[in-house]
Amino acid sequence: MSSSTKLSALDMPDVPMGHLPEHLHLQRTRVVCKADAPIHTEGIQYSGAYASTGVDISMGPNKFCKNFKIEVVRLTEDEIEFDMVGIDASLANAFRRILIAEVPTMAIEKVLMVNNTSVIADEVLAHRLGLVPLNADPRLFEYLSENDTPNERNTIVYKMEVSCKKGGSRVTVKSDQLKWLPNGSELQMTTYDSSAKAKSYTSFSCSQDSLPEFSKKPLGVRFDDIILAKLGPGQVIELEAHAVKGMGKVHAKWSPVATAWYRMLPEVVLLKEVKGDDAEKLVKKCPVGVFDIEDLGNGEKKAAVANSRACTLCRECVRGVNEELVELRRVKDHFIFTIESTGAFSPEELFIKAVKILEEKCDRVISELS
Amino acid sequence: MNAPDRYERFVVPEGTKKVSYERDTKIVNAASFTVEREDHTIGNILRMQLHRDPNVLFAGYKLPHPLQYKIIVRIQTTSQSSPTQAYSQAIDDLDKELDCLKKGFEDEKTRFEEKLRQGY
């Protein structure tokens, strides 16, 4: 039997033109998390990838701006959770990396020990002091390099003097004992030239609290109750600490976030109708409550997806079953970001700073191309 | 003991250029860009943006060694474009997208704060 006209497969009435067939759309936009490993994880960027179906998936900056959406879910003083739709995984990861390692902060770098008779060794105490989050805005400070002298524009000086009386009970040294010295270092550098005037370790030309930026908010530690050391009777700690500006890349104490992470939006789909006792079992299996029972009337119960956003991919619903009832998917371009700040910046300022830093990086990478 | 100083991860030393360009002698329209003191943060984004360009035949990046802080981006284009053109176009597009992203976030932040204030 021969047909008089030749029909292309693409002209068949049931093939949708102009947009991708269902299964290809699933492959392109969803990661399917099977019981053993995820599939379709690669991001398909090339505009001609589906050229044979007549679909153009090109994405220029204008199309990006139209499809892009941000939605803030939760915003507190320390934490922000927001959704970004329409970006690629590489951009999300870049923001996470920049938030953790490249947003500058202030942290204690040099500790001048005058007297330490506690059981905590000098270097261990100095290490702990470095990790204490400070309430200073790093935008008001400059970096201190090796050849610079420490002055009021690049250093913050703190003092700690604690002692425990003989015969008294033990003293816990908490971070509120770190007192800010707005006039700079009080310790004298030893010089062998007796005629020269004694110099201190920092040369502040004016007091830091006379500067307008610092008069509103005194520079102190963010959290008062961090335990730094414990003193027994007769033990003394006397030290001076200098804080400078730095980035998380050099040492983690300069990281402005407790942590920052993202996850892709989960999508949980029931492949078959699950009724009755099986429905009850499925609802019980999920530890976070993704499924729920739907009453159909006349005593019949059916399982339905109530809250797929809570899915943590524990895979309890697909483990050990003989047939696949549930499909766990992730939407490739929808990211749920959470940023927890340690206090120097507020979390929304942190994200804006991270975007600015990424823009500066891009500019540096192109402008220095001769 | 032999590890380089941590500030070397982002400080470009005197004398070395930040970005250098090397044409591939054996393949037409192909080049390698060596970007000093950068890592996956910018490399992966650049690679993703280059893949979106219809004139780019090959785009990839690698870090030759984790203790040598540089990336090598290799681009091959059709004869209608050149690797430098594709690279500049990709960075331009990225700048525009980041502007749009920042504006979108600031708008959403003010909208959310308004909503919070009205909710009380």
Side-chain angles (χ1 to χ4, degrees):
Chain A
M1 194 170 98
S2 63
S3 51
S4 49
T5 52
K6 288 219 163 96
L7 265 179
S8 150
L10 296 174
D11 289 335
M12 291 288 176
D14 57 340
V15 175
M17 285 304 288
H19 44 266
L20 282 177
E22 271 307 306
H23 63 287
L24 288 180
H25 184 74
L26 186 85
Q27 270 182 27
R28 189 174 89 84
T29 60
R30 304 286 192 269
V31 174
V32 179
C33 304
K34 294 224 167 288
D36 49 351
I39 54 175
H40 309 144
T41 56
E42 63 282 338
I44 300 178
Q45 306 286 345
Y46 176 51
S47 43
Y50 299 103
S52 51
T53 59
V55 174
D56 180 16
I57 53 170
S58 64
M59 171 86 88
N62 299 324
K63 212 162 169 204
F64 173 86
C65 290
K66 268 205 301 223
N67 294 339
F68 175 69
K69 251 189 347 224
I70 290 194
E71 195 186 308
V72 176
V73 170
R74 195 176 62 229
L75 175 58
T76 67
E77 200 189 315
D78 287 328
E79 203 182 318
I80 185 172
E81 186 182 322
F82 62 98
D83 283 15
M84 280 210 279
V85 189
I87 62 167
D88 185 66
S90 54
L91 209 61
N93 195 32
F95 287 133
R96 185 192 63 91
R97 288 173 69 100
I98 291 179
L99 281 164
I100 290 177
E102 298 191 44
V103 180
T105 344
M106 304 293 290
I108 290 175
E109 168 83 349
K110 273 208 172 70
V111 176
L112 304 167
M113 287 289 184
V114 177
N115 193 359
N116 177 18
T117 46
S118 72
V119 289
I120 313 291
D122 286 348
E123 62 271 16
V124 177
L125 185 55
H127 178 248
R128 289 175 73 78
L129 282 167
L131 295 172
V132 169
L134 302 175
N135 221 350
D137 190 344
R139 288 171 290 202
L140 307 170
F141 289 91
E142 295 156 3
Y143 283 98
L144 171 69
S145 69
E146 284 162 19
N147 317 326
D148 291 343
T149 48
N151 57 40
E152 70 277 5
R153 286 262 138 232
N154 53 32
T155 319
I156 310 177
V157 182
Y158 293 93
K159 180 172 82 157
M160 183 153 89
E161 272 176 10
V162 199
S163 61
C164 183
K165 277 208 321 270
K166 258 194 152 55
S169 62
R170 292 172 179 279
V171 166
T172 305
V173 180
K174 295 204 174 162
S175 56
D176 58 355
Q177 302 282 356
L178 273 169
K179 306 262 180 308
W180 177 37
L181 297 177
N183 289 324
S185 173
E186 291 173 353
L187 301 175
Q188 311 282 348
M189 279 209 278
T190 51
T191 51
Y192 296 103
D193 191 355
S194 51
S195 60
K197 202 168 67 134
K199 283 196 309 166
S200 99
Y201 282 97
T202 59
S203 37
F204 277 37
S205 58
C206 68
S207 168
Q208 265 177 338
D209 58 11
S210 66
L211 295 168
E213 304 91 68
F214 305 134
S215 54
K216 287 182 259 133
K217 203 171 70 152
L219 302 174
V221 295
R222 177 82 171 88
F223 302 102
D224 284 337
D225 51 355
I226 301 176
I227 296 179
L228 292 169
K230 291 197 178 180
L231 295 177
Q235 293 175 350
V236 175
I237 293 183
E238 229 182 278
L239 56 85
E240 206 178 79
H242 297 187
V244 294
K245 186 168 167 177
M247 284 208 281
K249 259 190 168 172
V250 179
H251 193 284
K253 68 189 178 192
W254 277 300
S255 181
V257 289
T259 189
W261 75 93
Y262 65 86
R263 60 189 182 110
M264 291 195 274
L265 181 77
E267 197 182 56
V268 180
V269 169
L270 285 167
L271 296 172
K272 294 197 177 65
E273 273 220 333
V274 183
K275 284 197 170 139
D277 278 343
D278 288 338
E280 295 273 354
K281 270 197 277 186
L282 185 62
V283 171
K284 267 215 198 68
K285 265 195 204 165
C286 182
V288 284
V290 171
F291 301 102
D292 207 358
I293 295 282
E294 213 180 270
D295 280 318
L296 290 173
N298 59 311
E300 288 246 325
K301 284 184 283 204
K302 194 175 85 153
V305 176
N307 183 14
S308 63
R309 194 184 160 105
C311 177
T312 55
L313 205 62
C314 66
R315 289 189 170 102
E316 276 299 319
C317 46
V318 290
R319 181 189 304 194
V321 282
N322 297 331
E323 45 164 351
E324 289 206 358
L325 300 167
V326 181
E327 193 169 73
L328 301 165
R329 297 188 199 145
R330 294 283 185 272
V331 183
K332 275 190 206 176
D333 63 352
H334 186 139
F335 292 94
I336 302 172
F337 256 89
T338 313
I339 303 176
E340 289 180 8
S341 161
T342 50
F345 285 105
S346 68
E348 62 272 14
E349 274 175 5
L350 267 174
F351 185 70
I352 296 179
K353 194 82 172 62
V355 181
K356 283 205 190 102
I357 290 178
L358 186 55
E359 283 179 345
E360 281 167 17
K361 260 188 197 270
C362 290
D363 287 334
R364 240 179 298 148
V365 163
I366 193 64
S367 65
E368 310 217 6
L369 182 62
S370 52
Chain B
M1 184 175 77
N2 286 327
D5 287 318
R6 293 284 285 198
Y7 60 78
E8 302 241 353
R9 293 175 73 179
F10 48 90
V11 172
V12 185
E14 297 284 321
T16 40
K17 289 201 295 196
K18 176 90 178 171
V19 187
S20 51
Y21 166 91
E22 227 180 65
R23 272 192 56 221
D24 191 335
T25 49
K26 291 180 241 172
I27 304 179
V28 280
N29 287 325
S32 298
F33 294 83
T34 304
V35 188
E36 287 283 334
R37 315 298 157 155
E38 288 296 343
D39 56 5
H40 301 280
T41 309
I42 199 78
N44 204 8
I45 287 194
L46 197 47
R47 177 202 61 89
M48 181 266 297
Q49 198 62 36
L50 282 165
H51 276 252
R52 288 183 176 169
D53 188 346
N55 289 324
V56 165
L57 292 175
F58 179 91
Y61 85 101
K62 70 175 176 184
L63 269 76
H65 192 277
L67 290 176
Q68 283 171 9
Y69 305 118
K70 62 180 174 180
I71 56 171
I72 300 181
V73 182
R74 200 181 131 82
I75 308 176
Q76 185 189 353
T77 59
T78 59
S79 48
Q80 263 139 20
S81 171
S82 84
T84 20
Q85 207 182 330
Y87 184 90
S88 321
Q89 184 64 41
I91 301 266
D92 275 336
D93 285 347
L94 265 176
D95 268 329
K96 291 198 199 101
E97 289 179 11
L98 287 174
D99 258 333
C100 178
L101 207 153
K102 190 163 64 170
K103 198 172 153 308
F105 183 75
E106 283 169 343
D107 288 342
E108 171 61 23
K109 181 184 83 151
T110 37
R111 193 196 68 92
F112 188 78
E113 285 173 343
E114 271 304 310
K115 203 174 76 159
L116 268 184
R117 229 174 298 150
Q118 281 168 8
Y120 288 138

